């Protein structure tokens, strides 16, 4: 979208500017040559432009649909290919292929309609423009024979109308480009408008060594923003006294992981409050809370495409190699890491060697 927007913008500025100045300049000279002919032209041309604008808005809508459909189909291909093992394991190649084919066909149909629309638009445009030249010659010829216009002026008038015609044709092509550019721009703008609902930089910190670590949930109510009608927690109260180790046990989907997400403020509760040492966690600096107070290991941890050493250092960038190894020993990762031919320098993650699910969790710890 950014690329599309950029090239449309460039074209519009360079060619659009030239075409529109040519139109203005030629229109002025038309008036100087023959006001009556020019008045006629000025009545016809605006109505053509109005027609073009209406047609253009229909095309713009179609273009937006076609773009959206195209990204749906690429999404399916991306999913099937990036999860190729699952696709293979279920023998789902044909099914995925058909699904992709289906979506591509829809995109194809929309793009054909768009192509036909743009073709009709440009064809009509040419027809009208050439019609203008023909009627100028016919009408102007009459004026010449009545000696209201010299032959030279008629020629000059024709050249000026042709310049206008050429510029208008160019503009009609540019309108197609502008339509695509504007729908790309609208999508970019949607992302730019997004703001973080939980600011990262503001808020207080508890001074080092004076935190006790008493966690309390009081009357907490929460529903995920994407599923507002399902309350995951309602009037939830619970306390973790400082220094205690607590495990939460419950059926799948009962809200255990949600509690952790609330504690690190991936979300804020809808009702009630969560406090640490009696202070509402909404008052804390979110970055400090996440990086200094709460350590969190996801159920499905992600490793970055770099060495194991750097992955472990992710939580404390200034840790020495010895500290990293010490941490690995505590997480019972040191032994298997040493067995890798490259040891701690093994590159893991998406673009490196994959490790087992359990090994990944230990590296994350
Ligand atoms: N990102 C999410 N968006 C919407 N609903 C979610 C999301 N994550 C979890 N849920 C729902 O919230 C409920 C609690 O989920 P969770 O806390 O992950 O359960 P668990 O106790 O198994 O960790 C479930 O019903 C789940 O479907
Ligand atoms: Mg869970």
């Amino acid at each position: 979208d950014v690329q599309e927007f950029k090239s449309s913008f460039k074209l519009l500025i360079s060619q659009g500017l030239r075409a529109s100045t040519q139109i203005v300049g030629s229109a002025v000279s038309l008036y100087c040559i023959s006001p009556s002919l020019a008045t006629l032209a000025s009545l016809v041309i605006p109505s053509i432009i109005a027609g073009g604008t209406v047609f253009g808005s229909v095309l713009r809508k179609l273009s937006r649909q076609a773009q959206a459909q195209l990204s749906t189909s690429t999404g399916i291909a991306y999913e099937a290919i990036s999860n190729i093992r699952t696709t293979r394991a279920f023998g789902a190649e044909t099914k995925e292929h058909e699904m992709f084919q289906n979506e591509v066909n829809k995109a194809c149909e929309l793009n054909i309609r768009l192509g036909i629309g743009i073709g009709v638009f440009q064809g009509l445009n040419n027809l009208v423009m050439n019609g203008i030249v023909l009627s100028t010659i016919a009408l102007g010829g009459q004026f010449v024979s009545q000696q209201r216009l010299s032959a030279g002026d008629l020629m000059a008038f024709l050249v000026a109308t042709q310049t206008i015609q050429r510029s208008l044709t160019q503009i009609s092509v540019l309108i197609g480009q502008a339509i695509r550019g504007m729908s790309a721009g609208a999508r970019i703008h949607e992302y730019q408008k997004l703001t973080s609902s939980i600011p990262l930089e503001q808020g207080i910190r508890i001074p080092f060594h004076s935190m006790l670590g008493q966690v309390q949930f009081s009357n907490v109510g929460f529903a995920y923003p994407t599923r507002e009608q399902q309350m995951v927690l309602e009037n939830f109260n619970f306390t973790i006294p400082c220094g205690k180790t607590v495990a939460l046990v419950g059926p799948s989907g009962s809200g255990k992981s949600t509690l952790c997400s609330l504690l690190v403020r991936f979300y804020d509760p809808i009702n009630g409050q969560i406090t640490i040492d009696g202070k509402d966690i909404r008052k804390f600096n979110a970055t400090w809370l996440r990086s200094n107070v709460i350590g969190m290991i996801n159920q499905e941890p992600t490793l970055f495409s770099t060495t194991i050493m750097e992955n472990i250092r992710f939580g404390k960038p200034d840790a020495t190699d010895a500290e990293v190894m010490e941490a690995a020993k505590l997480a019972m990762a040191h032994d298997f890491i040493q067995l890798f031919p490259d040891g701690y320098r093994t590159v893991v993650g998406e673009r490196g060697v994959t490790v087992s699910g359990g090994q990944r969790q230990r590296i994350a710890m």
Side-chain angles (χ1 to χ4, degrees):
D1 279 344
V2 171
Q3 209 57 37
E4 178 89 52
F5 184 75
K6 185 180 129 195
S7 63
S8 314
F9 193 75
K10 224 161 52 186
L11 270 180
L12 274 179
I13 291 297
S14 60
Q15 300 192 9
L17 217 58
R18 192 182 58 198
S20 37
T21 43
Q22 274 179 347
I23 290 174
V24 172
S26 306
V28 170
S29 70
L30 285 190
Y31 261 102
C32 295
I33 296 167
S34 165
S36 49
L37 273 183
T39 312
L40 203 65
S42 70
L43 289 180
V44 177
I45 290 174
S47 50
I48 294 169
I49 290 178
T53 313
V54 173
F55 209 141
S57 73
V58 175
L59 287 182
R60 186 164 39 215
K61 197 170 145 221
L62 202 59
S63 157
R64 222 177 299 131
Q65 283 174 347
Q67 287 258 15
Q69 180 59 37
L70 206 63
S71 60
T72 310
S73 55
T74 14
I76 288 182
Y78 174 77
E79 212 165 45
I81 292 169
S82 55
N83 299 318
I84 189 73
R85 276 162 197 265
T86 313
T87 314
R88 277 264 141 81
F90 282 82
E93 294 94 339
T94 330
K95 198 188 97 227
E96 289 289 333
H97 182 237
E98 272 167 17
M99 252 161 65
F100 178 61
Q101 185 91 50
N102 245 334
E103 299 299 325
V104 166
N105 283 346
K106 279 189 220 158
C108 176
E109 207 175 288
L110 281 171
N111 274 297
I112 288 176
R113 290 226 304 262
L114 181 65
I116 290 176
I118 290 178
V120 168
F121 184 69
Q122 286 175 7
L124 276 179
N125 193 61
N126 276 334
L127 214 64
V128 169
M129 292 308 153
N130 285 315
I132 290 178
V133 174
L134 272 183
S135 21
T136 316
I137 293 178
L139 212 69
Q142 247 177 5
F143 279 16
V144 171
S145 67
Q146 293 162 4
Q147 311 219 310
R148 286 167 60 190
L149 198 69
S150 77
D153 278 349
L154 178 59
M155 281 318 288
F157 195 90
L158 263 183
V159 171
T161 31
Q162 265 174 2
T163 310
I164 291 191
Q165 174 209 354
R166 227 172 315 141
S167 306
L168 278 180
T169 316
Q170 210 171 30
I171 281 190
S172 79
V173 176
L174 282 179
I175 285 176
Q177 187 68 43
I179 288 167
R180 281 195 295 273
M182 263 153 64
S183 46
R187 275 193 303 275
I188 297 168
H189 188 64
E190 254 171 52
Y191 280 97
Q192 285 183 324
K193 265 194 319 199
L194 294 177
T195 53
S196 174
S197 52
I198 296 174
L200 292 177
E201 297 305 333
Q202 300 147 17
I204 57 164
R205 300 160 187 236
I206 294 178
F208 197 45
H209 284 319
S210 60
M211 170 176 276
L212 300 171
Q214 163 150 321
V215 174
Q216 186 160 11
F217 283 65
S218 331
N219 298 318
V220 168
F222 178 70
Y224 281 95
T226 46
R227 222 186 262 165
E228 280 172 348
Q229 69 285 5
Q230 183 204 353
M231 292 298 282
V232 179
L233 301 172
E234 266 182 303
N235 274 328
F236 183 81
N237 287 291
F238 120 113
T239 309
I240 304 177
C242 53
K244 273 271 164 31
T245 304
V246 172
L248 291 170
V249 184
S252 304
S254 57
K256 306 179 295 293
S257 302
T258 305
L259 285 181
C260 299
S261 300
L262 289 174
L263 200 55
V264 289
R265 291 194 69 203
F266 287 157
Y267 306 91
D268 278 332
I270 297 173
N271 303 314
Q273 63 171 0
I274 303 166
T275 56
I276 295 178
D277 289 355
K279 292 198 179 61
D280 193 322
I281 60 168
R282 273 177 282 215
K283 291 207 184 95
F284 290 138
N285 176 298
T287 306
W288 168 79
L289 178 77
R290 290 165 188 162
S291 59
N292 291 38
V293 182
I294 296 168
M296 179 168 182
I297 302 151
N298 206 296
Q299 273 160 275
E300 293 156 7
T302 318
L303 298 182
F304 290 94
S305 302
T306 174
T307 59
I308 292 181
M309 183 72 88
E310 290 309 315
N311 265 294
I312 296 177
R313 223 196 299 269
F314 192 73
K316 188 184 173 192
D318 53 358
T320 62
D321 286 4
E323 283 180 302
V324 168
M325 287 184 200
E326 192 52 44
K329 279 178 193 152
L330 287 173
M332 298 202 190
H334 182 73
D335 292 347
F336 73 76
I337 294 171
Q338 286 218 305
L339 290 180
F340 293 151
D342 291 331
Y344 280 87
R345 283 188 301 279
T346 311
V347 174
V348 290
E350 260 180 64
R351 272 173 288 145
V353 183
T354 40
V355 291
S356 82
Q359 287 174 333
R360 192 153 37 125
Q361 285 179 337
R362 291 203 177 279
I363 294 172
M365 280 180 211

